[in-house]
Amino acid sequence: MTKRIFQSILLVTLASLAVSLAFFTAILFPYFENRLADELAQELAYLAPGAVSGGSEYLRQAGAGGNRLTLIAPDGSVLFDTTADPAGLENHADRQEVQQALAGQAGRSVRYSKTLDKKTINCALLLSDGNVLRVSSTQYTGFALLLSLIQPMLMVLALTAVLAGLYAYRLSRRLTRPLNEIDLEHPQPSQAPYEELAPLLRRLAHQKRQIKSQMQELQRQQQQFEAITENMQEGFLVLDAAGSVLSHNSGAARLLNLSSPPTGKNALELGLCEEFSQPVRQALSGDHVESLIPLHGRQCQLFANPVFQGDQLAGTVLVLVDVTEQQQREALRREFSANVSHELKTPLTSISGIAEIMRGGLVPPGDVPHFAGKIYDESQRLIQLVQDILRLSQLDEDSVLEKPQPVDLMACLRRAADQLASAARAQNVQLAVRGGSVWIQGVAAILDEMVFNLCENAIKYNRPGGSVELWAGADVRGPVLTVSDTGIGIPPEHHARVFERFYRVDKSHSKEIGGTGLGLSIVKHGAAFHHAQVELESTPGVGTTVRLLFPASAQVPAEPL
């Protein structure tokens, strides 16, 4: 702005000077020309008496070193001239000033010489003897005079330009200094250096308040958006039309296992699998894509949605949903359904076959009690299987009907030992209960099932002459319940899966051993219900120890007798 003000002031000053010079030149030249004509007329009046009385000799003396004097006869012939030989001059009867003088008027004319770029002013007067006396003065034309004055005029213009430049510089600085000192961060109309700027500052203050309000609203929306997206389990990426990542959330970085922020990078160059790149390419071409893709050992559902502005593709939104657990649950559901169907089908087939034989009268009367006992055993197996499935369902859905109350872990061990004493004798296994009373807040029915299943497995998978030890107590971590046996043990590769539903280490002997295959799964889910940890230590051929560690907060004082 300072530069423009400086240039404007300087140009206006120089233009004004040039116009003034032209204006004065246009006025002064005609003025001086008229003054010169008047002086020549006065000179004629002064010379006229002498010219009549003295003739040519007088004119020769009067015209020496002055203006040109010419004496012209009434017929136009030149009688005398101070600058040329009269004999060589042409007749002057056709000259304007001579004609005017012969007519009794004040003769006057101006003639230009293009060759010499000069003009001649002529004044003529009719003398008393009938002759005409003419005085001529030659001067430069305005253009020639300007050419002769060009150097001093240029000097004047240069000096004027310097002075005008200094003045324009100081004036422009003085004009813009108050503008530069305006606090645009806090514009106040009352602080306007010029009255004309007050509306502008008022408008700026209003716009600044609007912008501040809008920025605060945008920041609030941005923070809200980030708070929502950063707490999403799903991942999302926003791509431009070329595939470069414009925005992403932490869920996307986690699912894609990115070591650095992908913003600014092309999604196709993130080094991911082809199953990811192919849907992205389809979305960038304008297609909506849904695809199940593997990502770093997990299964993710990818939704790729192109975004259009009119008919132009503006970008793409990618949404990643981790469905690994859903897939696993679905697989477990299918496996569970298959296992339940198999476990139910075996005893039902046996019951149906025996019943069919008995109905056909093919069973001798003496064998009926035996076959009835088989039906009873298989039905009891079905009842136990259904009960175990119902208990697992309750634990899965957290719909246990019993309310937690103080339970003595030692009492649970003794009840399990009493129930399994005959089974232990049949297997030639020594069953021992040790430790002391430890009371926790829990559900007695679930704890009894957990201990019963652990003790039953310890007896089933023991060797003849082996032993099972049940122990209850507490350590620095909290209440502890332990079931140890000297049985066949569990190979290390099966440790992580023995608590799965229907999982058996040795499937070939599962029918001989019996059971529903849900015992350890009930132990696992019952421990989770009581916020306990399950520890398994097992060595093939040596034995197995299962330890339940209850939180210290679960322990309660002993219930009074």
Side-chain angles (χ1 to χ4, degrees):
M1 183 175 180
T2 303
K3 183 178 180 181
R4 295 187 64 181
I5 293 176
F6 170 78
Q7 292 175 345
S8 299
I9 295 176
L10 182 60
L11 290 175
V12 169
T13 303
L14 295 179
S16 300
L17 179 61
V19 171
S20 299
L21 287 175
F23 180 73
F24 284 118
T25 301
I27 292 177
L28 290 178
F29 271 99
Y31 172 76
F32 285 120
E33 183 177 315
N34 292 332
R35 290 293 303 274
L36 179 59
D38 293 340
E39 291 176 359
L40 292 178
Q42 292 177 3
E43 185 178 354
L44 277 176
Y46 174 75
L47 294 175
V52 173
S53 59
S56 299
E57 187 62 28
Y58 173 79
L59 294 176
R60 185 177 293 106
Q61 293 177 358
N67 295 323
R68 179 180 180 182
L69 301 177
T70 306
L71 186 62
I72 304 167
D75 59 358
S77 58
V78 179
L79 302 176
F80 174 78
D81 191 275
T82 56
T83 60
D85 184 6
L89 296 177
E90 59 185 6
N91 191 283
H92 284 24
D94 59 345
R95 303 295 172 87
Q96 178 183 357
E97 69 276 8
V98 174
Q99 293 177 355
Q100 291 175 350
L102 291 174
Q105 303 173 4
R108 181 175 296 183
S109 67
V110 178
R111 284 189 287 276
Y112 292 88
S113 173
K114 295 182 180 180
T115 308
L116 299 177
D117 200 16
K118 294 180 179 181
K119 67 178 180 179
T120 302
I121 300 176
N122 303 292
C123 289
L125 180 65
L126 180 63
L127 300 178
S128 58
D129 58 3
N131 294 326
V132 175
L133 179 61
R134 186 184 68 181
V135 179
S136 301
S137 178
T138 302
Q139 62 178 7
Y140 289 103
T141 62
F143 179 73
L145 187 59
L146 285 176
L147 290 177
S148 65
L149 295 176
I150 192 67
Q151 184 175 359
M153 290 180 66
L154 288 176
M155 292 179 64
V156 171
L157 285 173
L159 179 61
T160 304
V162 172
L163 295 176
L166 292 174
Y167 176 75
Y169 175 76
R170 294 188 61 185
L171 183 59
S172 60
R173 292 290 297 274
R174 189 172 65 184
L175 290 174
T176 57
R177 185 182 298 110
L179 300 179
N180 295 329
E181 293 175 352
I182 295 177
D183 185 7
L184 295 179
E185 292 296 325
H186 307 88
Q188 298 294 333
S190 60
Q191 299 176 356
Y194 305 111
E195 182 181 350
E196 294 78 5
L197 291 178
L200 174 62
L201 293 180
R202 190 177 299 108
R203 182 63 177 172
L204 287 176
H206 176 68
Q207 289 183 343
K208 186 172 180 63
R209 289 192 297 270
Q210 283 186 325
I211 292 173
K212 183 178 180 180
S213 176
Q214 292 171 354
M215 288 297 295
Q216 289 175 345
E217 179 63 18
L218 287 175
Q219 290 176 356
R220 186 191 65 79
Q221 293 179 358
Q222 180 69 18
Q223 292 172 354
Q224 185 179 20
F225 178 76
E226 291 178 356
I228 293 173
T229 57
E230 289 302 317
N231 287 283
M232 290 172 54
Q233 292 297 321
E234 298 79 5
F236 81 91
L237 297 96
V238 180
L239 313 181
D240 62 13
S244 296
V245 179
L246 300 177
S247 178
H248 74 288
N249 68 342
S250 58
R254 173 176 51 81
L255 293 175
L256 297 176
N257 196 24
L258 301 175
S259 58
S260 60
T263 304
K265 300 178 182 178
N266 194 289
L268 298 175
E269 299 174 357
L270 295 178
L272 301 174
C273 58
E274 180 63 23
E275 289 86 348
F276 174 82
S277 301
Q278 181 61 30
V280 173
R281 281 193 287 267
Q282 289 181 251
L284 292 174
S285 65
D287 297 331
H288 171 79
V289 184
E290 295 183 14
S291 177
L292 184 65
I293 62 174
L295 284 176
H296 308 289
R298 303 191 69 83
Q299 293 292 322
C300 292
Q301 189 77 27
L302 173 63
F303 300 90
N305 298 292
V307 179
F308 291 91
Q309 287 184 342
D311 296 333
Q312 296 294 323
L313 180 69
T316 300
V317 176
L318 304 181
V319 178
L320 289 165
V321 181
D322 188 354
V323 294
T324 304
E325 294 183 2
Q326 179 182 343
Q327 294 288 317
Q328 292 174 347
R329 286 196 299 269
E330 183 65 21
L332 287 174
R333 185 192 64 78
R334 291 193 296 268
E335 183 181 357
F336 179 75
S337 299
N339 288 330
V340 169
S341 299
H342 175 74
E343 294 293 335
L344 290 175
K345 183 178 180 180
T346 301
L348 286 174
T349 301
S350 179
I351 292 172
S352 176
I354 295 172
E356 185 177 1
I357 293 173
M358 294 178 67
R359 187 183 66 177
L362 300 177
V363 179
D367 293 335
V368 170
H370 170 73
F371 283 99
K374 294 291 291 183
I375 293 175
Y376 176 79
D377 291 340
E378 294 297 335
S379 63
Q380 289 299 312
R381 182 180 174 187
L382 282 174
I383 292 172
Q384 185 62 45
L385 177 61
V386 172
Q387 288 178 344
D388 288 347
I389 292 174
L390 290 175
R391 177 60 74 185
L392 276 175
S393 176
Q394 289 177 343
L395 293 172
D396 279 342
E397 299 175 3
D398 196 18
S399 60
V400 177
L401 299 179
E402 298 90 339
K403 299 297 181 183
Q405 58 185 358
V407 180
D408 184 7
L409 295 180
M410 177 57 71
C412 292
L413 294 182
R414 289 190 180 123
R415 284 192 292 270
D418 292 341
Q419 292 174 355
L420 294 170
S422 59
R425 286 193 298 270
Q427 291 287 110
N428 191 21
V429 173
Q430 297 294 324
L431 191 58
V433 179
R434 294 184 173 86
S437 293
V438 180
W439 292 79
I440 67 169
Q441 192 75 11
V443 176
I446 297 177
L447 291 170
D448 283 342
E449 286 187 56
M450 293 167 61
V451 175
F452 181 88
N453 288 330
L454 289 175
C455 293
E456 185 180 35
N457 283 345
I459 294 172
K460 283 181 181 179
Y461 296 99
N462 217 315
R463 55 182 175 79
S467 64
V468 175
E469 181 179 303
L470 310 179
W471 184 87
D475 59 16
V476 294
R477 295 173 293 180
V480 181
L481 186 153
T482 302
V483 178
S484 302
D485 66 60
T486 59
I488 61 177
I490 302 172
E493 62 270 20
H494 297 283
H495 287 188
R497 300 198 61 190
V498 292
F499 293 96
E500 295 180 8
R501 301 171 188 183
F502 298 110
Y503 185 81
R504 300 180 188 274
V505 176
D506 187 358
K507 295 180 175 59
S508 62
H509 295 84
S510 61
K511 187 173 182 180
E512 299 175 2
I513 296 175
T516 62
L518 298 175
L520 289 181
S521 184
I522 292 176
V523 171
K524 173 185 174 183
H525 286 78
F529 177 81
H530 288 92
H531 307 290
Q533 296 180 7
V534 181
E535 291 183 355
L536 172 66
E537 297 176 3
S538 184
T539 303
V542 177
T544 301
T545 297
V546 178
R547 186 176 296 106
L548 299 178
L549 304 174
F550 295 89
S553 59
Q555 188 170 359
V556 296
E559 199 175 65
L561 296 176

